[in-house]
Amino acid sequence: MLLPYLLEQDSWRLEGMAHLSWPTIGAVGYIAYLSTLLGFAVWSWLLSHYAAATVAPFTLLVPVFGFTSSTLALGEPLYPWKLAAAILIIAGLCINLAGARIAMRLRPA
């Protein structure tokens, strides 16, 4: 809390808190409680059923879901470089998860 206090002096004024709207409070509540609790619940369930080495690469999908949901919910533009990045991430995950099996099938006996 010390670093934001030092770097963002203007945002710590109480006058700024007086103009909070219900949608803002709802958004903060959603992010702080619902999405965090749901995210940790799903993550814990996955780690209890699968090896950490299998589950951990899926954290790379967080930005993909982030910019996809911002495009769908907020109408933000989806630039071609974002699509290329998403394709690279998903291709990397596919290679990571299925690459060894595919390589074993392609090797001559």
Side-chain angles (χ1 to χ4, degrees):
M1 287 179 56
L2 181 62
L3 191 59
Y5 178 75
L6 294 173
L7 297 176
E8 301 173 11
Q9 290 282 331
D10 295 335
S11 64
W12 283 78
R13 292 186 193 158
L14 291 179
E15 294 88 29
M17 299 290 186
H19 301 291
L20 288 176
S21 63
W22 284 109
T24 304
I25 294 170
V28 169
Y30 169 78
I31 291 170
Y33 294 106
L34 187 63
S35 66
T36 301
L37 291 175
L38 179 66
F40 277 115
V42 170
W43 185 254
S44 298
W45 182 86
L46 285 171
L47 285 177
S48 69
H49 287 80
Y50 301 100
T54 304
V55 177
F58 286 99
T59 59
L60 295 172
L61 291 174
V62 170
V64 176
F65 280 102
F67 67 69
T68 303
S69 62
S70 70
T71 298
L72 295 174
L74 303 174
E76 291 187 11
L78 186 59
Y79 299 109
W81 66 268
K82 287 184 179 182
L83 287 174
I87 290 168
L88 285 174
I89 289 170
I90 293 169
L93 283 172
C94 291
I95 291 169
N96 183 36
L97 294 174
R101 286 184 228 148
I102 294 170
M104 292 295 283
R105 289 184 186 170
L106 295 177
R107 284 190 191 147

